[in-house]
Amino acid sequence: MTPELAARLAELGIAPADLLARGLAIHAEPAELALAESNAEGREFLLIPAAAAAWQAMRRAAADQGVEMFLLSAFRSVARQHEIVAAKLACGLSLDQILRVSAAPGFSEHHTGCAVDIGAPGSPPLEEAFETTAAYGWLERRAADFGFHLSYPRGNASGYLYEPWHWRWRA
């Protein structure tokens, strides 16, 4: 663990030993990122080049079968993750509440440039209801063909709540 990451965690009151005891790993930020997608508002979603290509191929394949999906989140820096956790603390949430739904800085799969949060038309973003969409059904059947897998299924060992929208690419 770098001194900078240790300082970020200490500032938030997060004990690294607690995260490691959950089996969570530190994730480094990648050296190179590529544009995976832009949304209608002009927000750019970045992934490592191979994951971006895999996402684009997977999204096209789904669209060819009449299934629409889009990115809600992709690469996220350690600094941005720190901001997210700090904002939740400022709103009065406890660390225990936060760390069941959000990764600590340095421990988010989004830092790798290989993780995506996926949305679908008519489904509220980042909600369990995503599992009822055609996009989720398609992902269950076909995501592995493109190197993606569901990171946090029900009852996952990491201690995170179920996230049907969060998928990670692995070469």
Side-chain angles (χ1 to χ4, degrees):
M1 178 174 309
T2 66
E4 179 187 356
L5 179 56
R8 285 188 181 280
L9 294 173
E11 181 183 319
L12 296 169
I14 299 171
D18 293 344
L19 302 173
L20 297 171
R22 284 174 52 185
L24 301 177
I26 295 172
H27 297 294
E29 294 179 6
E32 183 181 4
L33 292 166
L35 181 64
E37 181 176 312
S38 296
N39 68 13
E41 293 79 36
R43 181 176 174 196
E44 293 185 341
F45 298 94
L46 304 174
L47 294 169
I48 65 169
W55 163 256
Q56 291 163 354
M58 183 169 74
R59 185 172 184 211
R60 273 191 309 275
D64 288 348
Q65 296 179 355
V67 176
E68 185 180 350
M69 62 179 82
F70 48 83
L71 292 179
L72 298 169
S73 184
F75 170 75
R76 190 177 309 137
S77 70
V78 172
R80 178 66 184 126
Q81 196 70 22
H82 182 271
E83 291 170 357
I84 290 168
V85 173
K88 289 181 179 188
L89 284 169
C91 287
L93 294 173
S94 72
L95 267 179
D96 184 55
Q97 290 171 308
I98 295 166
L99 296 178
R100 288 187 42 78
V101 298
S102 295
F107 289 80
S108 174
E109 287 187 339
H110 287 285
H111 301 332
T112 67
C114 295
V116 294
D117 292 337
I118 301 171
S123 179
L126 310 176
E127 301 250 344
E128 233 180 82
F130 180 73
E131 74 179 354
T132 66
T133 66
Y136 179 78
W138 191 93
L139 288 164
E140 279 193 304
R141 292 185 307 277
R142 298 286 319 279
D145 297 342
F146 299 88
F148 285 89
H149 71 277
L150 181 66
S151 293
Y152 306 116
R154 290 188 196 282
N156 65 79
S158 70
Y160 291 120
L161 296 178
Y162 171 51
E163 294 188 353
W165 61 85
H166 182 94
W167 296 73
R168 182 171 178 183
W169 178 82
R170 290 202 182 140

